[in-house]
Amino acid sequence: MEKESPKSIYRKNLPLISSFVILVTLTLVIGLLLGYKFTQKFVEGQFDGDKAKVLDKTIENYNDLVNNRIPQISLFQGYLDSVSVEKIVYSRLRSFPFINSIVFYDTEISNHPLGPLTIALRKDRFSAECKGIYKYGKGKPPEVLYKKGRLNNYPSNIEGDFNAAMLKFASYVEGSDTTRVPDNNEIFKTFYTISDNKISYLNVPRREEIRVYKDFILDSKQPLSSVYEHDLLTFNLNPYALQIRNTNPRLYETVLIKPFTFDSLSTDARNYYTTGIALPGAFSDYQLYFISSKRFINKEIFAIFKPIAISFIIVYLLLMFIAYLIFRNMNINQKLFKLQYDFINNLTHEFKTPVSVIKIAGDNIRSSDTLSDRERLHYGKILNEEADKLNDLMNKLLSFTQLENKSIKIKYSRINIEIFCQNQVDAYQLKYPDFDIQYSLDDVDYLETDIVLLNSVFTNLIDNAYKYSPSGRKQLTINITRQKRLIIMNFIDQGIGIEKSELENIFKKFYKVDNEFNRHGSVGIGLAFCKEVVNFMHGEIEVKSKPGKGSEFKITLPLKRI
């Protein structure tokens, strides 16, 4: 059965990674959609809920008028007149622009009978009678609407407002408990009369006065009493003059005051959001009406949704980065696995070939009855060469491990460069007669380094130059020059060259370029071994190459020991 390749094994993980990326992307899309829908519902809910805050701010002045400013009238205990009230009401008109006008009723309460041509109310012997009625408007002088004893031409609602207020007061007096102070709820129900766009307020009398007024109603034989002064003021209000305070301008594009009869359906629901909330008290026939176009609301939705979307995207990118790291590690593991896989195969081949040759030679020697001197020398040479190959391979692997583990030290010696190079040339010309090796020296005689390590670098580079050069171009030039405290060695061959994309990988352990020279018998540690040795000797190694024209390896070493 054919063995499955490492590449195909690792390809099986690609669907898993693709599924993970698709799943995370779908989760991002669904999360963004749900986040947007949630944000949209939240903003729509806020649009309907925050209107109460706008209402509270808008009617703040109205509440201040009703709860704080109007009750101050009671401090005057009914002794206001047309002159003194003028100072008070005009300050109110300036402070509260929604007050159109104020009507002042200068009132007397007693048990006296009522005179002719009067605006008055009588219950049993309780008499409430107007001495005069004055109207104050913005930017207008006071207007006298009524004077007691005169034939007056006044609006019909003037008398109605007076009668309503006094009838409510008389009913309260009849059933009042004069042993205690009335609470706020009783005061509001009795002394305030709130109707459409109008608030009437009668000053709150003292308990002694209420006791006297109660006697007017219950004791029919009581003699005529003194006359008690009271003040009744009616505030005519304009709801459209309320100052609208939009507390959330990012949510509410337009806020209007509209009557409840306003038809909100006239607003295009497809393009606008609308809602309303009723105004309180005297403005109860009106509402605050909120209108925002969907385009305007969408800005708020996107403003809230933006940080949510950014958070989703950051998490997504983080997951993608993790997926990338996993994929990269798997890819690295794949390459390492492939390198190990190739290394074992090639190492097996490297060992198998000399072992097989040695075995064949041994079998031939054993099976032969007699060996001639020529045969003996021939088999001896074969055994010696194959043993050298095995020994060289084992030494490389052992040295490589020692270099990586820093378990060896540099044994410095003074090396004569010319003699060293000549020995290398002589050895290889004997080994490979068709190999043309030339060297040149420029201003350099000696080098202080480890001769064994230097020899291993030369051996590997010369072997590669011969191995990777086609027949007829097996040439190598070694140029050695001095540059200050450095020695530079250039190995220039006429071989097959190396592709540019492969240059950064050729010094990696177990890596080999895929070509016809490497398909049989390369382990992929030669150049990696050279780099480790050169680095260990405190030097550097570089390469330049053109495919089809050859390669140049440049080694830089310190001239003397460091």
Side-chain angles (χ1 to χ4, degrees):
M1 189 171 102
E2 185 179 352
K3 188 176 180 180
E4 188 175 17
S5 70
K7 190 172 183 180
S8 63
I9 293 172
Y10 278 88
R11 276 181 179 169
K12 290 181 178 179
N13 294 305
L14 187 60
L16 181 63
I17 296 170
S18 301
S19 299
F20 175 78
V21 171
I22 292 171
L23 178 63
V24 173
T25 304
L26 284 175
T27 303
L28 172 68
V29 173
I30 293 171
L32 289 175
L33 289 175
L34 292 177
Y36 181 80
K37 288 293 182 183
F38 172 79
T39 305
Q40 187 180 34
K41 292 295 181 185
F42 172 77
V43 173
E44 289 174 356
Q46 193 180 29
F47 181 84
D48 193 59
D50 276 14
K51 59 188 178 183
K53 297 179 182 178
V54 180
L55 174 66
D56 290 342
K57 280 295 182 181
T58 300
I59 63 169
E60 206 169 46
N61 270 3
Y62 170 81
N63 289 334
D64 181 46
L65 174 70
V66 174
N67 298 322
N68 301 316
R69 302 303 179 89
I70 289 180
Q72 291 174 0
I73 295 170
S74 293
L75 299 175
F76 296 94
Q77 294 299 323
Y79 292 108
L80 290 173
D81 55 24
S82 60
V83 177
S84 58
V85 80
E86 184 176 349
K87 298 178 181 179
I88 298 173
V89 298
Y90 278 123
S91 67
R92 299 290 186 270
L93 291 172
R94 286 192 299 270
S95 302
F96 304 94
F98 55 86
I99 301 176
N100 264 355
S101 62
I102 299 176
V103 178
F104 168 60
Y105 299 81
D106 193 3
T107 305
E108 295 177 335
I109 294 179
S110 67
N111 60 358
H112 298 179
L114 300 176
L117 302 177
T118 58
I119 294 178
L121 180 135
R122 187 172 178 85
K123 182 177 177 61
D124 296 326
R125 296 187 65 189
F126 176 87
S127 299
E129 187 175 11
C130 263
K131 294 190 297 180
I133 302 175
Y134 307 89
K135 183 177 180 181
Y136 304 87
K138 294 180 181 179
K140 298 178 182 179
E143 181 183 353
V144 180
L145 301 180
Y146 167 82
K147 274 289 185 179
K148 180 180 178 181
R150 296 182 186 176
L151 188 62
N152 298 278
N153 184 17
Y154 51 82
S156 59
N157 64 308
I158 294 296
E159 187 172 359
D161 292 342
F162 177 80
N163 290 336
M166 289 305 167
L167 183 61
K168 188 190 293 187
F169 178 57
S171 298
Y172 167 75
V173 169
E174 186 177 10
S176 64
D177 181 3
T178 57
T179 61
R180 63 179 182 84
V181 177
D183 58 29
N184 290 334
N185 188 44
E186 288 177 319
I187 291 173
F188 189 80
K189 288 182 178 180
T190 304
F191 300 98
Y192 286 89
T193 302
I194 298 177
S195 57
D196 296 343
N197 304 331
K198 188 183 296 183
I199 300 175
S200 294
Y201 179 79
L202 178 68
N203 69 282
V204 182
R206 294 184 288 266
R207 276 190 295 171
E208 293 78 7
E209 293 174 343
I210 293 176
R211 219 177 271 123
V212 172
Y213 300 158
K214 189 170 184 178
D215 290 340
F216 291 166
I217 297 174
L218 299 179
D219 188 358
S220 60
K221 296 180 181 180
Q222 193 178 49
L224 295 178
S225 67
S226 302
V227 176
Y228 295 87
E229 296 287 338
H230 272 267
D231 301 321
L232 174 65
L233 283 88
T234 298
F235 298 82
N236 297 304
L237 310 179
N238 177 16
Y240 295 107
L242 280 171
Q243 184 180 358
I244 297 173
R245 297 182 181 178
N246 188 355
T247 57
N248 198 340
R250 296 197 312 173
L251 196 61
Y252 301 118
E253 187 175 10
T254 305
V255 184
L256 304 172
I257 295 176
K258 292 288 184 180
F260 260 115
T261 55
F262 175 73
D263 184 11
S264 62
L265 295 177
S266 61
T267 307
D268 184 5
R270 293 174 300 177
N271 298 314
Y272 291 90
Y273 289 95
T274 61
T275 187
I277 187 169
L279 291 169
F283 304 130
S284 57
D285 287 339
Y286 295 85
Q287 64 173 327
L288 283 180
Y289 186 63
F290 301 83
I291 309 172
S292 294
S293 66
K294 290 191 174 181
R295 181 181 297 176
F296 184 82
I297 291 294
N298 285 340
K299 292 180 182 178
E300 180 66 8
I301 293 173
F302 280 118
I304 297 175
F305 177 66
K306 185 177 179 180
I308 298 175
I310 291 173
S311 300
F312 271 108
I313 292 171
I314 289 174
V315 172
Y316 173 78
L317 292 176
L318 182 61
L319 291 175
M320 287 296 100
F321 180 68
I322 293 172
Y324 164 74
L325 291 179
I326 294 172
F327 179 77
R328 190 190 67 171
N329 289 340
M330 291 177 64
N331 193 40
I332 292 172
N333 289 337
Q334 175 185 346
K335 291 179 178 179
L336 289 175
F337 184 84
K338 188 175 184 302
L339 287 173
Q340 292 173 358
Y341 184 86
D342 292 341
F343 170 71
I344 292 172
N345 284 340
N346 294 329
L347 187 64
T348 302
H349 180 80
E350 284 288 301
F351 275 98
K352 187 176 181 181
T353 300
V355 168
S356 298
V357 173
I358 292 172
K359 188 175 186 308
I360 292 171
D363 288 341
N364 289 339
I365 294 172
R366 186 181 63 181
S367 61
S368 179
D369 294 333
T370 59
L371 289 175
S372 64
D373 290 341
R374 182 180 177 184
E375 288 175 329
R376 181 174 54 80
L377 290 173
H378 175 68
Y379 286 128
K381 181 181 179 183
I382 291 174
L383 291 173
N384 190 52
E385 288 178 352
E386 298 305 322
D388 286 343
K389 287 182 181 179
L390 289 174
N391 185 58
D392 182 59
L393 184 58
M394 294 302 299
N395 285 337
K396 279 186 181 179
L397 291 172
L398 180 61
S399 299
F400 209 132
T401 303
Q402 291 175 334
L403 286 170
E404 287 184 326
N405 295 330
K406 309 295 184 185
S407 59
I408 61 174
K409 295 182 179 179
I410 299 176
K411 297 178 181 179
Y412 287 99
S413 62
R414 185 178 173 85
I415 302 170
N416 186 303
I417 295 299
E418 184 172 5
I419 295 174
F420 177 83
C421 290
Q422 188 62 53
N423 289 338
Q424 293 288 331
V425 170
D426 292 342
Y428 273 93
Q429 284 182 341
L430 288 174
K431 188 176 182 180
Y432 305 119
D434 60 335
F435 194 15
D436 181 16
I437 306 178
Q438 302 293 331
Y439 71 90
S440 65
L441 305 176
D442 183 9
D443 191 28
V444 58
D445 296 320
Y446 292 94
L447 172 65
E448 289 186 14
T449 189
D450 191 315
I451 191 169
V452 175
L453 296 179
L454 184 63
N455 183 71
S456 64
V457 172
F458 268 70
T459 300
N460 273 282
L461 292 178
I462 296 172
D463 280 340
N464 281 352
Y466 182 82
K467 179 180 178 181
Y468 294 104
S469 295
S471 180
R473 288 167 48 189
K474 294 186 180 295
Q475 299 175 10
L476 176 65
T477 302
I478 304 172
N479 297 324
I480 303 176
T481 60
R482 177 177 177 176
Q483 185 176 351
K484 296 182 179 178
R485 297 183 179 180
L486 300 175
I487 184 171
I488 299 173
M489 306 174 184
N490 293 286
F491 293 75
I492 306 168
D493 63 45
Q494 304 295 318
I496 60 173
I498 306 168
E499 295 288 342
K500 187 176 181 180
S501 59
E502 302 281 1
L503 291 178
E504 61 183 21
N505 298 316
I506 60 174
F507 292 112
K508 293 180 180 178
K509 187 167 58 173
F510 306 135
Y511 185 87
K512 64 175 185 175
V513 179
D514 188 15
N515 57 49
E516 59 180 318
F517 295 90
N518 269 341
R519 287 174 187 164
H520 303 287
S522 175
V523 182
I525 61 172
L527 289 176
F529 177 73
C530 286
K531 183 174 178 64
E532 286 291 331
V533 171
V534 171
N535 290 342
F536 186 71
M537 296 165 68
H538 310 293
E540 295 179 356
I541 183 169
E542 301 174 7
V543 60
K544 293 189 295 184
S545 184
K546 290 184 179 180
K549 294 187 177 181
S551 303
E552 178 181 349
F553 287 86
K554 178 182 177 182
I555 295 175
T556 304
L557 292 174
L559 195 60
K560 295 183 179 181
R561 72 174 64 189
I562 296 177

